[in-house]
Amino acid sequence: MSKSNSTETREREDERGQGSAHGAAGERLSTAPREERPDTGAGVPAMSVVGWVRWFWRQLTSMRVALILLFLLSLGAIPGSLIPQTSVDDMKVQAFKDQHTTLTPIYEKLQLFDVYSSVWFSAIYILLFVSLIGCIVPRTGQFVGQLRSRPPGAPKRLTRLPAYTTWRTEAEPEEVREAALAVLRKRRFRAHEVGDAVAAEKGYLREAGNLVFHIALIVMLVAFASGQLFKSEGGKLVVEGDGFSNTLTQYDDFKSGSLYDSDSLAPFSFVLDEFVGTYEKSGPQRGTPRTFEARVTYTEGADGAERKDVIKVNEPLTVDGTKVYLIAHGYAPVVTVRDGKGKVVSRTAVPLLPIDNNITSSGAIKVMDGYKDKNGEKTQLGFKAFFVPTFAGEGKGQMFSQFPALDFPVLALSAYHGSLGVDSGLAQNVYQLDTSKMKEFKGEDGELLKKMMMPGEKLDLPDGAGSITFEGVEEWASFQISQQPGNGWALGGSVAAIAGLAGSLFIQRRRVWVRAVRGADGVTVVEMAGLGRSESAKLPEELGDLSVALVTTAPVAAEEAPDTPEKPDAPDGPGTTDATTDATNEAGTRPVHPAEAPAEGAEK
């Protein structure tokens, strides 16, 4: 919109200048609204309430204000991209608040953690919406009126128009005008005969493109607004062999628009059969994923048939308007916890959180129920876990993964017992272990009990308190399940906006007149002139092509050569072309206008 509308003021001034110079011929070449200028007299009467309302409406629906609002909207989106948003990631927002205690109160007052739902962003959004509607409605009415009307009659003096040519022919004026109608209509001009001339116009798609561009912007605004109001979005981490059912209780986290109805969740479910990830093994791109896909079995509806599909990055599974995206991957060590009597208390795959590109992972293993200590009292166990899929080996630096694949998996654990704090009712991070109410298991050296284990190895707890065994590794995938209505409309609006903008920039609105009257000596004088919405070197070229086509029916009289416009090399000034300055008659002077000729019938 910016480039198209930024020229509106200049074009309005050009068209006013053309209208004053060429009369009705220069009018209605655009649907741009005309700004009403107040009187500049010494005394300006005070406006009533209705007058102020009209003034405010005119300002709001002006192109200048629309551009300002669009600029403000783009500026308002900047903090939404740079500052963590609550609607996107609560954990990042909380981490930002913890790190920036001074800025946090200011950002909260300015609603910078919720930019797109803030009062000030919504106000800009709504004002822009109203401004665009106020611009489009009157222009649409004007454009429809132009389509239903005919091109205006020829000006009295065609020689004043930017592109002009003339010649004399022995053909009858009626024959010339009839031939001109045929030539112009063949070139897709809207043409009709008015008096002693033919009036034609072409390039209506320029204004149509301008209107399409603005309407497309409104469609995009509505689509984005509906997407925010009626959207739903949630995340779910699924370990291989486990599944997900699209109900609220199954989500790890869930967010929705203010008008979203949770009963509209699409009924479907899926099971993660296998996650497949392969990585580049050598070269500068070593460790870069080559295959990254989740193979699932899903069912649509309560009794739908099972279907197989593969979810890849940017290739979601789509079920009943809901899209399931693959967004992350990691490892879940399988551990078995036994009490002092050897009874299996827990056997589960524990997802750990990756902390680098080689999927070095950390997390916590929590045993909340079923465990009793050597005295038979119920207690809870906690283990801090650190996992590397490819271990470099003892004595080869810190324990960090050297490669993202499961080439040499090692799990490091440190053990605690006591209260995990889960009974307090407060939410806990599943990847962190709160040891404030727990005691360390001590090793033989009196220090915290720790051990690095490979699959199949076991960590024995002291004093017959039991053990924990590292059984193996499963893989997990994290999915984003989202439903955003309006995306199709937004895409269609974007395509239409680009098409409309291209039409408004590259199509020229222009008019052509062909006058044929009998001169004083009885020979028909043909004049052809053109006028465009804006100056363009193509107008004289097009006029030259039309005159060449017309000469075949109305050939130049034998005593003179045709005078057709040529493409100007260096115009002397605005609106001046070779077709205007070089056109001469047989006496070597500027062609005499038929209205100025003394012969009968030469005046319009």
Side-chain angles (χ1 to χ4, degrees):
M1 185 175 83
S2 58
K3 186 172 181 181
S4 173
N5 292 333
S6 62
T7 61
E8 293 291 344
T9 302
R10 180 176 61 81
E11 290 175 350
R12 282 198 298 267
E13 293 174 355
D14 292 344
E15 289 158 11
R16 286 172 183 167
Q18 291 172 348
S20 61
H22 311 307
E27 294 296 332
R28 295 182 292 110
L29 269 174
S30 171
T31 59
R34 301 183 180 278
E35 296 180 0
E36 298 181 6
R37 299 178 180 272
D39 295 336
T40 57
V44 179
M47 288 191 298
S48 64
V49 175
V50 176
W52 278 110
V53 172
R54 289 178 178 174
W55 178 86
F56 178 78
W57 176 253
R58 288 170 185 166
Q59 298 301 314
L60 180 61
T61 57
S62 67
M63 290 297 172
R64 184 186 302 107
V65 173
L67 289 174
I68 293 174
L69 291 172
L70 187 62
F71 178 69
L72 291 176
L73 193 70
S74 62
L75 285 181
I78 293 177
S81 303
L82 300 179
I83 300 174
Q85 298 296 293
T86 304
S87 60
V88 178
D89 194 330
D90 286 330
M91 295 181 63
K92 285 187 178 181
V93 172
Q94 189 58 48
F96 183 92
K97 291 180 178 180
D98 295 340
Q99 295 175 4
H100 304 84
T101 55
T102 303
L103 290 176
T104 294
I106 301 175
Y107 283 7
E108 287 178 340
K109 290 181 179 179
L110 296 177
Q111 298 179 300
L112 295 184
F113 295 117
D114 299 279
V115 168
Y116 302 111
S117 59
S118 63
V119 174
W120 56 268
F121 191 88
S122 300
I124 298 173
Y125 195 93
I126 294 173
L127 286 174
L128 177 61
F129 186 82
V130 174
S131 179
L132 287 174
I133 293 179
C135 291
I136 289 172
V137 171
R139 294 185 67 160
T140 302
Q142 294 177 26
F143 182 60
V144 171
Q146 292 180 16
L147 290 177
R148 298 177 63 182
S149 63
R150 290 185 171 187
K156 185 176 181 180
R157 299 181 182 274
L158 292 178
T159 55
R160 294 181 177 181
L161 298 185
Y164 174 84
T165 185
T166 183
W167 70 92
R168 292 155 54 88
T169 181
E170 296 181 355
E172 295 296 325
E174 294 78 8
E175 296 178 4
V176 175
R177 290 194 289 268
E178 185 177 350
L181 273 174
V183 169
L184 290 168
R185 287 172 177 172
K186 186 177 180 181
R187 302 293 180 92
R188 298 182 180 179
F189 278 84
R190 294 179 60 190
H192 69 118
E193 190 171 348
V194 184
D196 60 359
V198 173
E201 188 169 359
K202 190 177 183 180
Y204 290 91
L205 287 179
R206 178 188 180 95
E207 295 303 322
N210 203 355
L211 291 174
V212 166
F213 174 74
H214 289 81
I215 293 173
L217 286 183
I218 292 182
V219 171
M220 292 170 61
L221 289 175
V222 173
F224 290 143
S226 63
Q228 291 296 318
L229 293 174
F230 296 97
K231 74 173 183 178
S232 68
E233 184 177 279
K236 179 64 177 179
L237 186 148
V238 183
V239 180
E240 287 178 332
D242 290 343
F244 167 80
S245 179
N246 194 28
T247 59
L248 284 177
T249 57
Q250 288 281 298
Y251 283 92
D252 295 331
D253 59 84
F254 184 83
K255 298 182 178 69
S256 63
S258 56
L259 300 181
Y260 180 77
D261 183 4
S262 59
D263 294 335
S264 62
L265 285 172
F268 71 91
S269 61
F270 67 87
V271 175
L272 177 60
D273 299 324
E274 182 184 13
F275 180 87
V276 179
T278 60
Y279 308 89
E280 188 69 35
K281 293 186 175 294
S282 61
Q285 294 187 338
R286 184 176 185 272
T288 302
R290 293 305 179 201
T291 303
F292 204 77
E293 58 187 37
R295 299 175 181 176
V296 300
T297 300
Y298 74 96
T299 58
E300 183 175 356
D303 302 318
E306 291 188 350
R307 301 177 184 176
K308 299 284 187 179
D309 205 338
V310 177
I311 306 176
K312 301 179 182 179
V313 177
N314 296 326
E315 296 183 18
L317 169 67
T318 303
V319 183
D320 195 14
T322 301
K323 294 185 176 181
V324 182
Y325 293 89
L326 174 63
I327 60 174
H329 158 257
Y331 295 108
V334 180
V335 295
T336 300
V337 179
R338 294 178 172 84
D339 60 15
K341 299 180 179 180
K343 178 184 176 182
V344 175
V345 176
S346 171
R347 188 180 190 279
T348 183
V350 183
L352 302 181
L353 187 66
I355 60 175
D356 61 22
N357 291 334
N358 287 326
I359 318 186
T360 302
S361 306
S362 65
I365 301 172
K366 302 177 182 181
V367 181
M368 294 178 283
D369 299 309
Y371 176 80
K372 296 181 180 180
D373 60 14
K374 60 180 180 180
N375 299 322
E377 297 181 0
K378 292 184 178 180
T379 187
Q380 296 175 331
L381 299 179
F383 302 88
K384 289 184 178 180
F386 196 84
F387 175 78
V388 291
T390 302
F391 183 46
E394 291 284 354
K396 295 184 179 180
Q398 296 180 336
M399 185 180 172
F400 281 93
S401 179
Q402 309 300 308
F403 194 70
L406 286 172
D407 292 343
F408 188 4
V410 172
L411 176 65
L413 296 177
S414 53
Y416 300 82
H417 64 96
S419 173
L420 292 170
V422 295
D423 299 329
S424 63
L426 299 177
Q428 282 192 350
N429 190 327
V430 295
Y431 301 106
Q432 295 179 353
L433 184 65
D434 182 7
T435 60
S436 59
K437 297 181 179 180
M438 305 192 76
K439 297 180 180 179
E440 299 177 351
F441 278 110
K442 300 294 184 179
E444 295 180 355
D445 56 359
E447 300 293 333
L448 173 64
L449 179 65
K450 297 184 293 184
K451 185 177 181 179
M452 290 192 302
M453 300 183 293
M454 292 186 293
E457 294 185 345
K458 179 175 63 172
L459 170 63
D460 291 320
L461 302 178
D463 301 327
S467 66
I468 180 170
T469 304
F470 179 23
E471 306 286 358
V473 182
E474 298 283 355
E475 299 190 50
W476 60 261
S478 181
F479 299 94
Q480 176 180 297
I481 300 94
S482 63
Q483 183 179 3
Q484 289 189 326
N487 283 353
W489 285 98
L491 177 60
S494 301
V495 175
I498 295 174
L501 182 61
S504 66
L505 292 177
F506 299 112
I507 298 176
Q508 184 187 21
R509 184 90 172 269
R510 64 270 194 201
R511 289 172 180 162
V512 173
W513 293 272
V514 181
R515 174 176 284 142
V517 295
R518 195 177 303 279
D521 55 356
V523 179
T524 300
V525 178
V526 181
E527 289 183 295
M528 182 179 288
L531 176 66
R533 174 176 172 177
S534 57
E535 295 181 16
S536 173
K538 293 183 178 180
L539 182 60
E541 293 179 358
E542 186 174 30
L543 193 69
D545 293 339
L546 291 171
S547 64
V548 169
L550 186 57
V551 163
T552 59
T553 303
V556 179
E559 68 272 12
E560 65 174 349
D563 180 19
T564 57
E566 299 177 358
K567 183 178 180 180
D569 295 329
D572 295 333
T576 302
T577 67
D578 290 346
T580 304
T581 57
D582 294 342
T584 58
N585 60 13
E586 57 186 353
T589 61
R590 207 158 180 264
V592 178
H593 192 276
E596 301 172 325
E600 183 180 356
E603 293 184 359
K604 181 179 176 182

